[in-house]
Each structure stands twice: as C-alpha cells, then as structure tokens.
Amino acid sequence: MDKVNTTDRLARLRELMSQNKVDIYIVPSEDSHQSEYVALTDMRRGYISGFSGSAGTAVITHDKAALATDGRYFNQAGKQLDGNWTLLKQGLQDVLTWQEWAIEQASSGDGKSIGVDPTTVTAPEARKIAEKLKKKGGGGKLVAVRENLVDAVWGKEKPERPSEKIMVLGDEYTGKKSTEKIEELRKELEKKKSRGFVVSMLDEVAWLFNLRGQDIPYNPVFFSYAVVTPKSATLYVDEKKLPEGAEKALEGVTIRPYEAVFGDIAALSKEDQGVNGTSGGKAAKYLISTKASWALSQALGGEEKVEELRSPVGDAKAVKNKTELEGMRQCHIRDGAALTKYFAWLENELIDKKTTLDEVQAADKLEAIRKTHDKFVGLSFPTISSTGANAAVIHYQPEEGNCSTIDPTKVYLCDSGAQYLNGTTDTTRTLHFGEPTAAEREAYTLVLKGNIALELVKFPKGTSGFALDTLARQYLWQYGLDYRHGTGHGVGSFLNVHEGPIGIGTRVQYSEVPLAVGNVISDEPGYYEDGNFGIRIENIVMVKEVETKHKFGDKPYLGFEHVTMVPMCRKLIDVKLLSEIERSWLNSYHKEVLEKTSTYFKDDELSRKWLERECAPY
C-alpha cells in the first residue's frame, strides 16, 4: 500500500477550480458499482487522493484536502494518504461528515461555492447540501460543474471506458422473461399514475432486460440507461455491444445510443401529457431512483416534473424467484468445493512442503481452481488473501510485488467470491495452520457464535436487518469487542455481490426495508485487532418462511437457509465457549457440507481428508 504523492495533482486541480470559480470541489463515492457515475467516480477519487478503497469521498479546497471513509478503511486510508490529506473517520464521535466539513469550509461569510460534477452526486444529496448551505448562512452555494475537473487533471492517462460485450442470460437462469418484468414495472407505474421510470442503476438495467456484461471486472453490468413508460421501453446502450440474436430477447424494446439519454429524457419531460401519458389529465411525473444523479433529475426538469423513490426495479430484483434461489444453492456447492480444495492445498504447501507463498500467489491459485468449475464466469470481487496483521485491514487487497508472505504461524483470512451463470458467491473463512493463541481462539469463537445466532433466528414478517444486527454482535459485546462494518449485505443473482436495498447493520437505510422471502444476504460478523490479526466468518443465507408454535398477530415468521458450503476452522474454535445448541448446529452444518461437496473429491485424497477432518463432529 504505497503512498502516492498527490501534490502536483492537487495543484492542477486547484488551478481548474479557480478557472471555474469554485472554492470547494467534491469527488463523491459510494460503496457500490451499480451506476456509471459511481463506477467512474471511484477511479477519480482514487486518482486524486491515492486511496484505493471502494468507499470514500474527497473534498478539496484551495488550501486543504480531506478524505472521508468508514471504519472498514481507516487502517488502509491511514497507510495510503500522503501528507496533503486529512482523514475524516466517519462514524466516530465528534468527527465531521464530509458534507459537514465541506459546508464548514464554504460558510465563512464571503459566498464560497461548492462545485460538483452533477453526474457524480445523487439528486437528494445535492438538494440536502444546498439546503444546509442556505441554513448555515454566509452566502455559500452548490454549483454544477459540467466538466469533471479530476478528469481534466488526469488527461490522457485516464483509463478508457471498458468496451464491454453483452450477453443474453437465458430463462433457465433468470426464471422470468424480460417482458414479464417490464409488465410488472408498468403496474407500479400505474399505481403511481406516473409517466414513466428512468432506470439509471446498471445492475437494474441488466436484471430488467436479462442481459449481462462480460468485460467489466467483477460486476457483470454494462454502461446503460433505460426508460419504461406505460406504452414503451427504451434501452440506451451501444448497440454494437449486443450479441447476435438479441433482438428476439429484446422484442418490443427500442434501442437508442447510450449518449442520447439526456437529450431524449429532456424532450420527454417537455411533452404535454397528462396522467399515464394521456392528454388532459393532471400533470404526471417521471419516477427516478433516489440513487439517480443530479444531472438526470435536472434533465427531466427537476423537482416539479420528477418524483424520487426507492427503485421498484431494485426492490423486485432483491426478491429472487425459485430458479434464482436454486441457482444460488447449486453454485455455492461448486464454490464450496473450490474453497475446500484451495484450503487443503494451501495447508499442504505451507506445512508439509514448507513452500514459500505470498498472498497474491495464493489468491491466483484459488482463482485457477474456481475456473475449473461448471458455469464459472469470473470473480465477484478482488480476493482478500491476508496473513497476520494484513487480516486486520478489513478490505485488504494484496498487490503483486507489494504483499506479504503467508506466515503459517499466524491467522490467515480469505474473503473471496465468484460469478457463475446461475449465481454469485461471497465467502469468508479465517484459518490457522499452526497453533493459534488463546486470544485468537476466543475472538474467533465469539465471532462464530454471532454468525450462528443470526442463522438460527426466527423473526416476524416486517422485521428489518437493522433490528437483527445486534444478534451477531452480542457475544463480542459481552467481552467489550465489536467490528466497524455491517453484518450483512444483499447479494445479486449473477450480478453485484453487494446489492441493495436490504442489509443487516446499523445504517439507517437498513431499517427502511424489511427482509422478505427470497432475499439473499450475507451473515458476516468479525473482529479486527490492528497490527495483529483479523477474523471474519461469512456465510450467504436466503430468507425463507419458517414454522413456529404460535403466530402472534397472525404474521408469518421468517428465518434463514444457508447456502455456503465450507467448513469452519477447527483449530480456532474453543468448544468450551459454545452452547449445546451451537455445537449441534455446527455438527449439522458440517455434516451437510461433507454430504454436498465430498463427491467432488473422489480422486482427490488430499482435499477429501482435509474436508473430513474439518467436518468431524464435536
């Protein structure tokens, strides 16, 4: 994690800020790659700050620069930011948010302006900043800067946009035709008496039309927009990227150039139409997601002609159908077999052969094993292969030539996943190949207890992930321990490994959307001791309806079905800390893992013996 000297980059940016009469410039970012502006903004923020994490916002004034990120990246940001930057540790007491920091810089009484590329910030966020500036006083204002100033600094060195190819995903994987999904969306438009919905999130476009991108790393999406009205559906995409025969899959869909979307929607918004596209009714609005860009809202005519809401496409996508759920089960069995083979190989190399391996070499071996399995497409995110102190860096990513040699006497944390035609995987296992310390075993077992508690919970319909979060933390809390990341995130079906709108954690938005049958979500508590070790255990679970003796209020009760098929680390478990129920669950889980994955090792004695050893009952 080498530091990048950002002095010259910041100097050039500040020159452009002066030319554009901007006093503060924001480079926002989200922990997501669901929309074009976010995917590009992550690269821009990384370039200007030197910080490569997937969540962070940069705020630059003429004499200061601040990078805001959350607890997952405090350690990483501290190592990567040079002396030009102040780190704003979001979520800590008395630490300003990036919005507050920017507003404070702009509120000196001389009318300073905050500039932002309107394609890189959501419409609600832009409105919130503008309102807070006005309330603060001092004459500060938010302005849209059409040219992205970081791009201008980057110049010819900026990577070109991927020229991704697009594939049609068959009904045998999607479980529902695109025409059905579009008609269901139109029913939502009818309820809202809306003129149409502009789909701006890349994963939502891919899901709605049963298409997947093939060349964007980790996320099978492609640069696109879509507009669905009561009578039409238009896909904005580079037509040359579509495969032969796509016309049949996209029957009834108009294809327009990707670059035409802003002009087209501006023209649409000016049409004299009433409710649901008929003339003479009251003025109806277009719907956009609350994650749509400020630029998109402006093109549609702003608040008078636009209604912002949680995306109905995103909500529908998060509830998997029977085909998608079965795909998740099957791909996790194959993926579990790949991880078992990898861990058995790694232990053998490190302990029996005394081979010297670094974190990247190990990660490359895991990818090579995954590639041999049916329906494999690629990784779902960069593999976190981390030894010792590196495991305490929550989103650590080893780099060739700049990583550690795996030390078999220390904790090894591997967080990895893959994209298969029938699902997306994300599994974390923490192992030890030598003799763990008592503190490591204690911490691991407390994390395991939290993981099991979440898997075993039964809860009434209408319960959110926000309400369930404490279940995974309770045992750590009893020892005065905790972790600075969410407990669970939604997972796509051969799509984004981080998928909204559901999640388990302390974020306010997780209280807004209750968990529902068909949701697929991670269960991943952890514990991290900076400079020493890190522990995380992650299973993917699916929400299902469960039986209970009583049904208070006549509500259905829900629970979880796990699909991850990888053993827990036997050496790190302190059985004395487990209850009878937890031991029973662990034995049952290991029996299932053994039954479902052992067929992959009929001719692989090394992997089979490792699996049998790790799955032996307690």
Side-chain angles (χ1 to χ4, degrees), residues 529-548:
E529 195 169 291
D530 286 353
N532 196 358
F533 66 89
I535 289 164
R536 185 162 62 254
I537 301 172
E538 178 182 21
N539 276 3
I540 301 303
V541 295
M542 308 192 304
V543 182
K544 64 177 182 178
E545 192 164 336
V546 296
E547 290 297 320
T548 53

Side-chain angles (χ1 to χ4, degrees), residues 35-93:
S35 58
E36 179 200 355
Y37 65 86
V38 170
L40 294 177
T41 296
D42 276 352
M43 293 194 302
R44 289 163 177 151
R45 186 255 303 127
Y47 172 77
I48 201 63
S49 70
F51 168 67
S52 62
S54 65
T57 293
V59 184
I60 301 97
T61 74
H62 285 286
D63 57 0
K64 300 176 186 176
L67 187 284
T69 190
D70 61 43
R72 295 169 297 171
Y73 297 101
F74 291 168
N75 194 320
Q76 180 177 341
K79 292 179 179 179
Q80 291 185 317
L81 295 176
D82 69 9
N84 292 302
W85 292 83
T86 297
L87 176 59
L88 300 177
K89 295 183 177 182
Q90 304 296 270
L92 295 191
Q93 191 173 357

